Amino acid sequence: MTGNARGVRGTGVTLLVAGSLLAGCSAQGADGGAARKSASPSAGAGTGATAGAGATAGTTAPPSGSALFTADPALVPRTAKDGAVLADAVVLAADDWGRGYVAQRPAASTPGTWAVLDDDCRWEREKLPSGVLASSSRYSLLPAAGGKGAVRVTAATTVHASVLGADEQISTTLEEVLRCPEQQPRADARITGLNSIGTPFGAREQGYADDSVMETGRYTQNGGAAQSYSWMVARLGTVVVAVSVTGGKGNTDEELNQVGAEAVAKMLERIQLRLKGN
């Protein structure tokens, strides 16, 4: 497993990830759930594309260059068991998000499943398909306090059997916004006005992952007020990490995006710490 991602260590990397993700969001001009992944990636969507209602997806060639992070081949998961161990070690629990965060109910996804966007743009959990070793999602919450509404977050880690499979997950994430600019994460919730931008390594100063996607929109539940919503995805070799952040009244888009960017950086660092050679 090799990739173009720089080593991620400490605050500097958090700022790098945050800056790249926020730059992507600003470029798209979109307003800022659940762990998500489609089961049938399409080769038609490429990274480096911008997608949204009324937008046309494009593709860019992957950047060339030396691999800046090389995993120890002996440590790269090859079995479902090893994939599950890595996914559970990388994905963030409530305590990892910071002071005040607590686990939602349920706190984690059902083992051996992942989320699939069906033909009606509804998210459902299904059995892992061939080529996906493991996927783990955890759901946390920062309760409302100090005049600010609650912040709901999801962290997800998916371990693939190949780099190609992981890359297809990124491509599909972009395609899903074109197919479903409005989505239903659960029966009582809607995500609307979705836009996304893909940023491969080396584009727009993205130097923290082999590939990444930033998706933004508005989230409503039980007919309540719309809230800012973001979905950040990054790939490092055969591993894809993702974070969703939904914030209520009083939480600015900048604050919420910073929360997500720091979470992505932390999970990328965990991947490298687990897979690096001596």
Side-chain angles (χ1 to χ4, degrees):
M1 170 176 161
T2 61
N4 293 319
R6 289 188 175 91
V8 284
R9 298 289 183 273
T11 304
V13 171
T14 299
L15 294 175
L16 175 63
V17 175
S20 297
L21 287 169
L22 291 173
C25 183
S26 297
Q28 180 59 20
D31 293 328
R36 306 159 18 158
K37 172 68 183 74
S38 173
S40 302
S42 169
T47 54
T50 301
T56 301
T59 60
T60 61
S64 61
S66 63
L68 299 179
F69 167 69
T70 302
D72 183 340
L75 299 177
V76 176
R78 303 298 181 193
T79 66
K81 179 180 178 181
D82 290 343
V85 170
L86 178 61
D88 288 340
V90 170
V91 71
L92 303 186
D95 291 346
D96 298 317
W97 288 90
R99 181 179 301 175
Y101 281 86
V102 298
Q104 295 192 53
R105 295 185 180 180
S109 59
T110 302
T113 69
W114 70 351
V116 175
L117 187 64
D118 68 17
D119 292 340
D120 295 320
C121 300
R122 297 177 300 193
W123 287 101
E124 305 287 347
R125 295 204 71 86
E126 294 185 0
K127 183 180 178 180
L128 293 176
S130 175
V132 178
L133 300 179
S135 186
S136 178
S137 300
R138 292 179 182 167
Y139 317 111
S140 304
L141 168 73
L142 180 65
K148 291 188 175 182
V151 177
R152 291 176 172 80
V153 295
T154 293
T157 300
T158 302
V159 182
H160 293 261
S162 68
V163 171
L164 178 60
D167 188 56
E168 286 180 338
Q169 178 175 353
I170 298 292
S171 297
T172 302
T173 299
L174 280 167
E175 184 188 62
E176 286 167 346
V177 171
L178 289 171
R179 181 168 69 88
C180 295
E182 180 173 333
Q183 299 172 7
Q184 184 177 344
R186 55 182 59 87
D188 61 352
R190 297 290 187 278
I191 304 171
T192 59
L194 282 169
N195 290 273
S196 67
I197 184 167
T199 309
F201 175 82
R204 292 186 287 273
E205 301 183 356
Q206 196 274 81
Y208 60 87
D210 293 322
D211 218 336
S212 67
V213 173
M214 175 76 173
E215 186 176 300
T216 57
R218 306 293 289 179
Y219 181 96
T220 57
Q221 187 169 10
N222 294 321
Q227 302 176 0
S228 295
Y229 167 86
S230 65
W231 178 247
M232 305 176 185
V233 187
R235 178 180 71 82
L236 197 58
T238 61
V239 185
V240 176
V241 298
V243 167
S244 72
V245 181
T246 304
K249 180 180 178 181
N251 296 288
T252 68
D253 288 355
E254 182 178 4
E255 291 171 336
L256 296 171
N257 286 329
Q258 185 70 28
V259 168
E262 290 177 356
V264 169
K266 184 175 292 187
M267 289 196 287
L268 291 175
E269 180 176 12
R270 288 182 174 186
I271 295 170
Q272 293 203 31
L273 290 174
R274 299 281 299 194
L275 298 184
K276 72 175 182 178
N278 294 328

